[in-house]
Every structure is written in C-alpha cells, then in structure tokens.
C-alpha cells in the first residue's frame, strides 16, 4: 500500500508540474519576445540613421539619382537613398 502510494505521488506531481512549466514557458515567450524585438529594432534604427553627412535632394528625378552621384565622389564610402513614407 505504501509503495503504491509513493509511486502514484510521483506521477501526480509530474502530471501537475508539466502543464505548469509549459504555461510559465509560453507566458515568458509571449512577454519577452516582443520586448527583445523592439529593443533590436531601436538598435537597428539608430545604426541606420547615424550618418556623418546628410544630403537632401530637392530637384526632380528619382531619389536614387542623388545617392548615386554622391556615392561616386572621391572619399565617399557609402551613399544611401531614403524616401520618407
């Protein structure tokens, strides 16, 4: 009787602990993943918007034309065209 009760106790504990652990894991993912994504998005936005110089084209033509012309100047490593949406 005692042996059967002890064996059943482990099964009952396992039956209760597994759903509880899965619930905690799913809740942690649901709460932490969006915050990690927002933090990474902010980091990438900051890296993308940091520049030594900003050249604004006000003339006609596609926006990439100014970036190509600036990119061909000596000493320019990278020129990127951006169009606000």
């Amino acid at each position: 009787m005692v042996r059967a009760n002890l064996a059943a106790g482990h099964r009952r504990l396992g039956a209760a602990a597994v759903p509880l652990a899965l619930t905690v894991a799913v809740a942690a993912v649901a709460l932490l993943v969006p915050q990690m994504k927002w933090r990474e998005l902010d980091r990438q936005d900051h890296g993308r918007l940091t520049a030594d110089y900003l050249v604004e084209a006000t003339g006609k033509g596609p926006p990439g034309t100014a970036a190509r012309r600036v990119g061909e100047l000596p000493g320019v490593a990278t020129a990127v065209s951006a169009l606000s949406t």
Side-chain angles (χ1 to χ4, degrees), residues 55-57 62-73 76-83:
V55 178
E56 185 175 357
T65 306
R68 266 193 304 279
R69 290 179 130 184
V70 170
E72 294 170 353
L73 295 173
V76 175
T78 304
V80 178
S81 172
L83 181 63

Side-chain angles (χ1 to χ4, degrees), residues 17-77:
V18 170
L20 182 61
L22 288 174
T23 303
V24 169
V26 168
V29 168
L31 293 173
L32 297 177
V33 167
Q35 290 186 6
M36 291 188 310
K37 287 170 58 175
W38 294 332
R39 187 177 309 143
E40 181 63 19
L41 179 64
D42 287 341
R43 189 188 69 76
Q44 288 181 6
D45 279 345
H46 178 73
R48 181 175 55 240
L49 298 176
T50 303
D52 294 331
Y53 298 100
L54 177 65
V55 178
E56 185 175 357
T58 57
K60 294 182 180 180
T65 306
R68 266 193 304 279
R69 290 179 130 184
V70 170
E72 294 170 353
L73 295 173
V76 175

Side-chain angles (χ1 to χ4, degrees), residues 2-30:
V2 173
R3 185 178 294 175
N5 192 16
L6 288 174
H10 290 295
R11 286 192 296 266
R12 277 185 260 149
L13 177 63
V18 170
L20 182 61
L22 288 174
T23 303
V24 169
V26 168
V29 168

